[in-house]
Amino acid sequence: MYTALLLAAAHLMLRSTDMPSPAEARLDVRPSAIRAVAPPTPRGLPACHKSLASAADLPRIAGETVRYLVDVDGLSVGTIDFQITRNGAYQGRAVTEYRSLFKLDALVATLIPVDGRAAAIVALGASTPIVAMNHYTSGAHQFQEDVTYAEGASRLESAQKKDASSKTVTRRFLAPAYDFVSAFYMLRSLPADAAGCTVVYGNQRAYTIWLVPDGSEDVPTPIGLQPSDRYQVRYASERAKAPTQATLWLARDAQRLPYRARIEGSHALEARIHLYEKGKP
């Protein structure tokens, strides 16, 4: 939820993502023969049947911005921003809009997209998205995905365009599914002793993410060493042959900002906090 979480979020962004304003598409929630299942997982990673639950409401102060510097294999490749864009109404419901933007150096364009944007709309009092979108460039191809959620986000419809072609799929899961943007904010609302799993959906595939507390540690930040809770994370997409190992550090204060994330996969990815702006109530 990096995605998944900041880790799944970052990994998803570095393999996919860009986004316009929310589409007005509505999901058909009539009874369906589509069976609810846990996403398939590779050997060694349990399936997720019950998702982690938030202990508090998501952050909702408009204007809050968090920026991360990203390294891939020790090479600085750019930044990832998360921002609470605004509070308003969508389809008659009070909602908050969350966005993410990343900018990467052209030097590494052969490894990851040059840039991308994504967003999610979450109802007041909820943690799961109503709609989510991403748009990204990968090589010479343009991708755009719009996802609409229903049934507490355990059911979704994803419409993806790749250049001139398109594909729409409907999925149902046993646990709520997040996009990587809403997953970032849900992560911040978890209790410090949270241990369990969640499902993140993006690029028309499901990611299963397991989170386990791993003690505490002081980590370097732009304002000096700060106390953090450390977590071990294992995740994989439903198409992966093996899970990926990651480590995540979250602030121990009320903001629960992810200070740092490190992924050990085919490429070593690290994101570390660079900027935090509180926004205005």
Side-chain angles (χ1 to χ4, degrees), residues 8-246:
H11 197 228
L12 278 170
M13 285 188 294
L14 291 172
R15 298 185 57 178
S16 32
T17 37
D18 174 11
M19 98 136 265
S21 59
E24 292 294 330
R26 286 183 169 83
L27 177 61
D28 182 357
V29 295
R30 293 175 296 179
S32 169
I34 299 174
R35 185 167 59 92
V37 298
T41 56
R43 183 188 298 270
L45 188 70
C48 185
H49 297 276
K50 184 178 180 180
S51 181
L52 287 163
S54 300
D57 192 22
L58 303 189
R60 304 236 177 217
I61 299 177
E64 185 201 68
T65 301
V66 189
R67 174 168 295 168
Y68 295 90
L69 302 180
V70 181
D71 295 337
V72 174
D73 295 336
L75 177 67
S76 178
V77 297
T79 60
I80 299 174
D81 288 3
F82 290 92
Q83 184 176 62
I84 304 175
T85 310
R86 57 182 173 172
N87 293 295
Y90 180 74
Q91 296 182 356
R93 303 172 68 180
V95 300
T96 302
E97 182 180 46
Y98 303 93
R99 287 183 176 262
S100 181
L101 168 69
F102 64 88
K103 297 181 179 180
L104 303 172
D105 298 336
L107 178 65
V108 293
T110 55
L111 297 179
I112 42 185
V114 173
D115 60 63
R117 301 188 303 274
I121 290 178
V122 179
L124 190 65
S127 63
T128 54
I130 300 172
V131 293
M133 300 76 68
N134 65 75
H135 178 206
Y136 60 95
T137 302
S138 181
H141 301 292
Q142 295 283 334
F143 295 83
Q144 180 171 325
E145 183 181 28
D146 296 297
V147 185
T148 309
Y149 299 80
E151 300 176 13
S154 62
R155 177 183 168 100
L156 61 85
E157 183 176 274
S158 166
Q160 186 181 65
K161 293 181 180 179
K162 176 184 177 182
D163 301 328
S165 63
S166 62
K167 179 182 179 182
T168 299
V169 298
T170 301
R171 302 286 301 271
R172 293 183 69 198
F173 302 112
L174 296 174
Y178 294 81
D179 73 298
F180 74 81
V181 178
S182 62
F184 173 83
Y185 291 95
M186 190 277 272
L187 168 68
R188 294 174 56 187
S189 70
L190 292 175
D193 60 353
C197 65
T198 194
V199 174
V200 172
Y201 188 87
N203 200 24
Q204 293 198 333
R205 68 189 67 183
Y207 289 74
T208 297
I209 299 159
W210 284 87
L211 177 80
V212 178
D214 186 36
S216 60
E217 182 180 349
D218 289 344
V219 295
T221 75
I223 58 172
L225 288 175
Q226 296 295 316
S228 71
D229 292 318
R230 185 177 61 240
Y231 299 87
Q232 293 303 314
V233 180
R234 299 177 73 234
Y235 72 94
S237 81
E238 56 194 335
R239 304 177 192 176
K241 295 182 179 179
T244 295
Q245 180 71 38

